[in-house]
Amino acid sequence: MKRLLLMAMLSMLACTVFAQTDSVATDATTQKSKRMNLHLLHGDDSVKVSRKIHKHPGFSIAITFSRFDLGLATLIDNGSFTLSPKNQFLNYRSWKSSNVGFDVFQFGYRFNSAFKIYMSAGLDWTLFRLRDNITIQKDPDMSQLHYTVDNIDYSKNRFSSSYLRIPLSFDFRTKDNDDGKRFHFVAGPDIGILLNGRVKQISSENGKQKFNDDYHYTKLRYGAFTRIGYGDLGIYAKYYFNDMFNTDAQKGLKNMSIGLTLGF
């Protein structure tokens, strides 16, 4: 995950530098917003006139690296932020449980300079840092998650899932200000397709260990999200309507996340 975050940040930096030197044309029917500055001279006075050229309506398709999310993940047990007794084994460290994700592809339609709709695709990870020294087991029993209590003091015991995320975004934005920045208000539904589940543990006894399985994570999750920001920086929130696991004992256990987002 550390390597992934480093690669993601380097990619974002490269995209930002590239965007400052050139504009990438992704659709022949659309035109990148530009600002034209003219200086009118009159005697010793200089008057700066700024003209904005906005995108035209039309379809667009692009390979991108945007909407990089970094936030905190939270479990909700049948409407409560407190885990029920049957789910206490999932007790986690709130400030070390995270959500990370970004988009790599998008396709959409711009109606005018203030509103567009687009569907994107990317990757999304939810990582819970467990407090107890347990190991979630690979078990075909669909009635509940199985685990063992270990006589090992784990310095890290992380239970995570990775999904292909496919959000549909309704993007409202204001006009550019004098600095060329604007407010964004984005919301829409989000669908996720399970890629993998993982247990990652670090201890002095066994070193670093990783175990991959689906761990009964729901194969198809669905929810809603919102993003509010200014310029390239903002905040986001995501909530999933269906259960986090396909087990009877964990019925009603859902998850949400909230944090910072970079790139609109």
Side-chain angles (χ1 to χ4, degrees):
M1 179 57 66
K2 292 181 180 178
R3 293 182 180 178
L4 177 64
L5 289 176
L6 179 60
M7 292 176 61
M9 287 187 288
L10 289 176
S11 299
M12 175 64 76
L13 178 61
C15 290
T16 302
V17 173
F18 181 75
Q20 290 176 345
T21 57
D22 195 8
S23 297
V24 180
T26 58
D27 187 356
T29 64
T30 61
Q31 179 179 337
K32 184 75 174 177
S33 292
K34 297 180 180 178
R35 181 186 295 269
M36 181 183 296
N37 295 320
L38 300 177
H39 289 269
L40 303 180
L41 299 178
H42 178 69
D44 294 332
D45 298 327
S46 175
V47 179
K48 182 179 178 180
V49 178
S50 179
R51 180 190 175 193
K52 300 173 186 176
I53 303 174
H54 295 291
K55 290 182 179 180
H56 296 303
F59 289 99
S60 64
I61 185 170
I63 302 298
T64 182
F65 183 87
S66 57
R67 294 169 289 278
F68 178 77
D69 298 333
L70 180 59
L72 297 175
T74 302
L75 290 177
I76 301 177
D77 195 339
N78 289 281
S80 173
F81 289 104
T82 302
L83 293 175
S84 60
K86 63 182 178 182
N87 290 324
Q88 273 298 316
F89 69 95
L90 291 173
N91 191 21
Y92 60 97
R93 301 182 186 277
S94 300
W95 293 101
K96 292 186 177 181
S97 297
S98 59
N99 171 247
V100 181
F102 54 84
D103 288 341
V104 296
F105 171 82
Q106 72 178 46
F107 171 77
Y109 183 84
R110 175 169 297 284
F111 292 85
N112 50 52
S113 63
F115 176 63
K116 71 175 179 179
I117 298 176
Y118 58 91
M119 178 174 287
S120 54
L123 300 174
D124 195 270
W125 292 265
T126 304
L127 311 102
F128 287 96
R129 183 75 71 86
L130 301 182
R131 289 181 177 273
D132 298 333
N133 295 316
I134 65 170
T135 300
I136 309 296
Q137 297 296 300
K138 304 176 183 180
D139 197 302
D141 182 12
M142 296 294 292
S143 63
Q144 63 181 342
L145 288 178
H146 291 268
Y147 65 95
T148 59
V149 179
D150 305 328
N151 190 25
I152 296 176
D153 186 16
Y154 294 112
S155 59
K156 176 183 287 187
N157 191 7
R158 195 169 67 191
F159 187 36
S160 64
S161 62
S162 57
Y163 280 82
L164 170 67
R165 72 182 194 186
I166 309 175
L168 177 63
S169 301
F170 297 83
D171 185 356
F172 300 87
R173 65 183 191 180
T174 61
K175 294 182 179 179
D176 289 352
N177 61 15
D178 293 338
D179 295 327
K181 296 181 179 180
R182 68 186 77 199
F183 285 97
H184 283 265
F185 304 91
V186 188
D190 186 3
I191 293 176
I193 301 174
L194 180 67
L195 299 176
N196 195 27
R198 170 173 290 183
V199 170
K200 179 179 179 180
Q201 299 171 329
I202 299 178
S203 64
S204 58
E205 292 87 347
N206 298 326
K208 182 185 295 185
Q209 295 179 297
K210 296 179 182 179
F211 308 99
N212 295 320
D213 192 60
D214 65 10
Y215 291 106
H216 301 305
Y217 278 107
T218 186
K219 298 293 191 298
L220 180 68
R221 69 182 186 185
Y222 52 88
F225 73 94
T226 183
R227 302 176 192 276
I228 300 174
Y230 174 71
D232 290 327
L233 185 63
I235 59 175
Y236 78 94
K238 290 185 283 189
Y239 176 77
Y240 297 100
F241 301 135
N242 58 333
D243 293 342
M244 192 173 175
F245 299 99
N246 289 321
T247 56
D248 296 333
Q250 280 67 52
K251 193 168 294 294
L253 186 64
K254 308 177 189 299
N255 72 299
M256 65 171 291
S257 58
I258 185 170
L260 297 177
T261 188
L262 180 62
F264 278 88

